[in-house]
DNA sequence: ACTCTCGGATACAGGTCTGTATTACGATAC
DNA sequence: GTATCGTAATACAGACCTGTATCCGAGAGT
C-alpha cells in the first residue's frame, strides 16, 4: 500500500537489495555476540558464528574481512551506544553535585545489573585480554577509555567550579579513579556476586568521592 | 666417584629420579607462562608450551592432565607467592595509618612497574576472561580475591580501631573499594600507560582513603 | 521477458590441535 | 651385568578451522 502512494518514481524500493544485506550483517553481529560470550574471542570460530545466524561461512566472508574486524565493529557499536546515552542524560541531572554523583553511581550499577550491560562488560573483558597482547586492540581500548576519561574529567572540573573549590588533584586523575572504581567493582562482582553485590556501588562512590564535592566542609 | 664416598647405603641419591621430573615440571611451567603471555590461554597449544620448554607433548601429558590444569597451578603458584610476601611485610610497617596506606599504594604500584608483576597481572586478566564463561575459573578467581579481601578488611578494621574511629562503611566494603581501585588503575595503565601513569597510584589512594584514617579531622 | 550482478552456498586444499597408544632409553635395583 | 621401571619421544587417528575459488539463483535494469 505504501508503494503506490510514493510519489517518487525513481526510488520506490531500490534499497531492498542493500537492506537485505544489511539485515544479514546485523544477524551476523547479533549471533557473534552470543557466540563470543560463550566461547570467547579466540574460542569462537567463523563457522559457529555464521551457523548461529543461520548462514554458512560464505555469508560471513562476503560481509566481513575477519573475525577480529567483526569483533571491533560489534564492540564499538554496542559500547558507544550505551555510553553516549548515559553521558547525554548526565548533563541534565538536577540536584546538588553529590546528588548527581549518586545518580551516576546508580547508573553504573544498573548497567551491570541489566543483563545486556553485563554482556557488554564481558565483551570488554575479552577485548582487554586481547589488548594485553595485541597493539590494535590496545589502541581500540585506549581510545575508548580516553574519550570516557575526558568526558568524566570535564564533569569533575565543572563541578569543582560550581562549588567554588579547587580540585585536590587534576580532574583527569580523579576521573581515572572513578573509572577504576567502576571497573574494579564490576570485575569483582562478576567473579563473586555474593561477596561483592551491586549494592556496594552507591555507598562507595558516595563515601570516596562525595566529600570532594560537598559545598560544606564538615 | 661420588658414589663410593656416600656413607649411607640406603638413600644415596634416591630422589634423583623425582627431582629430575620436578625440574621438567618447572621448566614446563616457566615455558607455559611465556607462551600464555604471547598467545593467551585459549590461543596457546600444548605443543607450543612443550616445545618452548624443550620437550615434546609426551613430556607434557606425563606431567599434567590438561592445559587448564597447568594454568591453574601456574597462577596459584605465582600469585600466592607474591601476595603472601606483601601481606607479611605489611604487618610490620611503622608510621601512622596514613603512612602505611601510602606504603601499600607504593607496593601495589611497584608490582605493576616490575615486569614480573605486570606479567602476572596479564595472566590474571586471562583467568578473569575465562571466568566470565567458566565456573571452575570463576571459583578460582573468587577464592583468591575473597582471601585477599578478608586480609585487607582485617587491616582496615584494625586501623580504625587504632585511630579510635568508627568505619563509615563495613571494613570489607572498604577493602573491596581498595582492591577495585588497584584493579581499575592497573587495567587502565595496561591499555594506556601514557594517560594513566603508575604515578597516579599513591596520590589517588591517599586522596580517597587517606582522610578516612586520619587521626585528626580537618 | 532477458540479461546482468552480486549475495550467499558449496567444495576444496592446507593447516593445526588434541589425546592416546606404543616405543625407546636411561636410571635404578638386584 | 641384567632385569625392571618410568619418563619422555614418536606415531597415529580424528576433529576442527581458515580462506579461497567456484557456483547458483533471485533481484535489478532495460
Amino acid at each position: 500500500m505504501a508503494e503506490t502512494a510514493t510519489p517518487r518514481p525513481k526510488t520506490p524500493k531500490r534499497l531492498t537489495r542493500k537492506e537485505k544485506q544489511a539485515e544479514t550483517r546485523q544477524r551476523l553481529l547479533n549471533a557473534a555476540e552470543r557466540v563470543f560470550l560463550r566461547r570467547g574471542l579466540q574460542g569462537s570460530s567463523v563457522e559457529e558464528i555464521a551457523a548461529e545466524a543461520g548462514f554458512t561461512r560464505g555469508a560471513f566472508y562476503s560481509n566481513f574481512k575477519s573475525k577480529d574486524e567483526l569483533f571491533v565493529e560489534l564492540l564499538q557499536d554496542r559500547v558507544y551506544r550505551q555510553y553516549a546515552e548515559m553521558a547525554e542524560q548526565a548533563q541534565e541531572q538536577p540536584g546538588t553535585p553529590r546528588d548527581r554523583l549518586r545518580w551516576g553511581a546508580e547508573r553504573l550499577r544498573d548497567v551491570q545489573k541489566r543483563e545486556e550491560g553485563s554482556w557488554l562488560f564481558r565483551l570488554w573483558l575479552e577485548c582487554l585480554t586481547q589488548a594485553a597482547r595485541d597493539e590494535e586492540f590496545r589502541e581500540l581500548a585506549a581510545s575508548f577509555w580516553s574519550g570516557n576519561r575526558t568526558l568524566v574529567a570535564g564533569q569533575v572540573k565543572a563541578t569543582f567550579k560550581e562549588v567554588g573549590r579547587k580540585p585536590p588533584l587534576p580532574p583527569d586523575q580523579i576521573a581515572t579513579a572513578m573509572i577504576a572504581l567502576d571497573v574494579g567493582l564490576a570485575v569483582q562482582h562478576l567473579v563473586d556476586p555474593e561477596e561483592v553485590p551491586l549494592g556496594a556501588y552507591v555507598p562507595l562512590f558516595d563515601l570516596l568521592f562525595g566529600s570532594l564535592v560537598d559545598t560544606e566542609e564538615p
Side-chain angles (χ1 to χ4, degrees), chain A:
Chain A
M1 40 171 125
E3 295 172 23
T4 54
T6 309
R8 264 187 246 90
K10 253 186 175 175
T11 54
K13 247 186 148 186
R14 205 177 38 190
L15 290 181
T16 304
R17 198 78 171 267
K18 271 185 189 169
E19 280 171 349
K20 201 175 167 193
Q21 193 182 11
E23 200 203 303
T24 299
R25 233 184 131 79
Q26 266 310 314
R27 278 171 62 190
L28 282 169
L29 282 166
N30 291 333
E33 182 171 1
R34 276 171 270 141
V35 175
F36 284 144
L37 286 170
R38 64 169 180 264
R39 303 262 189 242
L41 175 54
Q42 288 185 110
S44 304
S45 72
V46 170
E47 177 111 42
E48 189 172 356
I49 293 171
E52 174 92 16
F55 297 101
T56 62
R57 252 171 311 139
F60 182 96
Y61 281 110
S62 63
N63 275 287
F64 299 95
K65 234 184 76 201
S66 70
K67 196 173 62 174
D68 280 5
E69 197 205 66
L70 177 149
F71 181 80
V72 169
E73 180 170 331
L74 176 65
L75 202 57
Q76 284 183 332
D77 177 55
R78 301 282 196 268
V79 168
Y80 277 102
R81 195 187 300 169
Q82 187 167 84
Y83 272 81
E85 188 188 315
M86 177 169 167
E88 201 179 294
Q89 295 182 6
Q91 301 288 1
E92 53 206 35
Q93 276 310 299
T96 69
R98 194 156 193 161
D99 289 337
R100 264 176 285 147
L101 174 68
R102 294 181 68 95
W103 176 88
E106 280 163 18
R107 287 307 304 263
L108 292 175
R109 176 200 63 195
D110 292 344
V111 164
Q112 298 298 326
K113 195 180 267 171
R114 308 190 87 255
E115 227 182 23
E116 182 198 339
S118 145
W119 288 353
L120 204 51
F121 177 66
R122 286 163 194 229
L123 287 184
W124 253 111
L125 220 47
E126 210 69 55
C127 176
L128 209 56
T129 307
Q130 195 73 357
R133 299 186 287 282
D134 184 320
E135 182 60 25
E136 197 190 331
F137 278 81
R138 201 174 314 142
E139 278 167 19
L140 170 65
S143 89
F144 165 71
W145 262 328
S146 175
N148 237 33
R149 200 178 303 123
T150 307
L151 208 125
V152 176
Q155 304 248 14
V156 170
K157 198 174 174 184
T159 303
F160 273 104
K161 195 171 179 184
E162 181 185 338
V163 300
R165 208 151 6 129
K166 191 169 159 293
L169 285 177
D172 66 292
Q173 262 191 53
I174 296 178
T176 298
M178 298 181 87
I179 292 171
L181 188 58
D182 177 25
V183 172
L185 288 178
V187 162
Q188 289 181 81
H189 174 73
L190 168 72
V191 161
D192 197 341
E194 302 282 320
E195 294 256 342
V196 183
L198 292 174
Y201 261 85
V202 177
L204 282 177
F205 268 91
D206 190 58
L207 172 67
L208 297 179
F209 297 101
S211 66
L212 298 181
V213 295
D214 262 345
T215 329
E216 301 289 321
E217 305 251 351

